[in-house]
Amino acid sequence: MVKPFVAQVPYAEEHPHVLAIYCSDGRFTDAVEELASHLGHERIDTLTLPGGPGLLNRWSADYLESDMVTRAARFLIQGHDIQEVLLLAHAGCGYYRARHGALGPEYVAEQQLKDLKDAANELTQAYPGITVHAYFVRPHGKQIHFESVD
Ligand SMILES: [Zn+2]
């Protein structure tokens, strides 16, 4: 039998109490984990799909996609006793470009900010005990900036 690969990272039984909802775009994955760590969270639950929190907006996203993401968020928030949610949208998002790109980059950025705020409002109304932080993530040369949208 082939020996399994054994990770350096130890397994911890307890679920993290933070959920990050963000885009699948792997150019930002490590930076999102670094942000979470900076905020004091060594481990996070993640919900990643192209478009990230934009999918929580049932008015602008595809209904089935939005329903699935809303239910997945509920499953994690309730089942894993999530106390804090990080919502992250990023500049140059292919999901938004595909959906709204024809309307120009300014419209896209506006829609992303609106989606972040709507998602934050929906979550805080649905789960009054949780804290929600929203960020717009923007590369500047080799750096990745997280701009708070609260
Ligand atoms: Zn994206």
Side-chain angles (χ1 to χ4, degrees), residues 50-81:
L55 291 168
L56 288 168
N57 185 339
R58 77 182 92 95
W59 307 110
S60 71
D62 176 79
Y63 177 79
L64 287 177
E65 285 177 338
S66 169
D67 187 53
M68 186 190 68
V69 173
T70 300
R71 283 191 290 144
R74 184 187 312 140
F75 176 84
L76 292 168
I77 291 168
Q78 294 179 338
H80 291 182
D81 189 23

Side-chain angles (χ1 to χ4, degrees), residues 120-140:
N121 286 339
E122 288 232 351
L123 289 174
T124 42
Q125 274 172 26
Y127 313 100
I130 65 169
T131 307
V132 179
H133 297 293
Y135 296 90
F136 192 79
V137 188
R138 207 189 296 270
H140 287 269

Side-chain angles (χ1 to χ4, degrees), residues 23 25 51 90 93-94:
C23 183
D25 192 327
H90 70 92
C93 184

